[in-house]
Amino acid sequence: MKQIQIKDSTINIKSELSEISIDLLHSLMVIVNTTNNITKVSDSLAVLSDSNLTPELISDLPFDECNTIIDDVFITATNNNKLSDTFIDSEGNVYKLDGNADSFGFKVGHITKLSNFIQNNNIEYLHFLAAILYKNKDISLNKRADIFKEEMTADIIFPFINLLQEKYA
């Protein structure tokens, strides 16, 4: 968390991937891909804050300062390349990476399922990617995706995004 001072208020801003759920990351991706620069930064700050940031409060911050806060979050993200072998949800269910974190590669089946899902769901695909990659034989793919959307944090899924960009972009 970063603290920023706006007028007489101290606002906490999520600045680490471990603080950002996949659902919140989807919201940020929509903002980044669909709005202009000034709106993009203020909307992103509002999503990342722990309080109800009003446009009036954000308008008092210099654009460069807002942009630096947002950039810091994504710089941290792009420097994180550590894959995790397991994920444990809030009910104690354990999900294992389909493969090994040290020598992980995407299988044709992974890419096919993900491609089909992205075509049908546009930008909100990260929870589905996680559900494809992390297995628990007792929990269906769609249920895993729902759980991961709410409970998995961006620090777990971001290394896979980086890997996809390196190998397939």
Side-chain angles (χ1 to χ4, degrees):
M1 280 279 172
K2 279 187 178 216
Q3 289 189 335
I4 59 173
Q5 195 69 33
I6 305 176
K7 292 188 179 180
D8 296 330
S9 301
T10 300
I11 307 294
N12 291 317
I13 301 288
K14 294 173 180 75
S15 61
E16 297 292 327
L17 291 175
S18 60
E19 300 167 330
I20 301 171
S21 70
I22 288 179
D23 194 30
L24 188 60
L25 188 58
H26 284 153
S27 297
L28 289 171
M29 290 170 66
V30 168
I31 291 167
V32 167
N33 287 306
T34 59
T35 57
N36 66 46
N37 281 342
I38 293 173
T39 306
K40 183 183 303 185
V41 171
S42 62
D43 288 354
S44 296
L45 274 179
V47 166
L48 291 170
S49 75
D50 68 346
S51 62
N52 190 9
L53 275 180
T54 62
E56 299 82 43
L57 279 177
I58 294 172
S59 67
D60 287 345
L61 278 178
F63 177 78
D64 288 345
E65 185 176 337
C66 292
N67 209 25
T68 298
I69 293 166
I70 299 303
D71 284 349
D72 285 349
V73 172
F74 289 103
I75 287 168
T76 300
T78 55
N79 290 332
N80 176 19
N81 288 312
K82 183 170 176 8
L83 302 175
S84 178
D85 283 327
T86 59
F87 175 75
I88 301 172
D89 70 20
S90 61
E91 301 207 358
N93 296 309
V94 177
Y95 306 85
K96 296 281 186 186
L97 180 62
D98 186 19
N100 181 312
D102 294 328
S103 61
F104 182 82
F106 287 97
K107 298 176 183 173
V108 172
H110 292 153
I111 299 299
T112 303
K113 283 181 186 177
L114 185 59
S115 176
N116 290 336
F117 188 83
I118 291 171
Q119 286 175 359
N120 295 324
N121 295 283
N122 197 6
I123 206 162
E124 289 193 16
Y125 65 88
L126 298 176
H127 61 298
F128 192 77
L129 170 62
I132 291 170
L133 299 174
Y134 286 91
K135 308 287 188 207
N136 179 318
K137 64 180 175 63
D138 298 326
I139 301 174
S140 72
L141 178 71
N142 288 336
K143 180 67 175 165
R144 288 193 314 265
D146 290 343
I147 291 168
F148 295 159
K149 187 174 186 178
E150 298 298 321
E151 295 187 24
M152 188 176 275
T153 52
D155 59 322
I156 295 171
I157 199 65
F158 228 91
F160 295 104
I161 297 168
N162 290 339
L163 187 60
L164 275 171
Q165 287 177 333
E166 288 171 14
K167 290 192 175 218
Y168 304 102

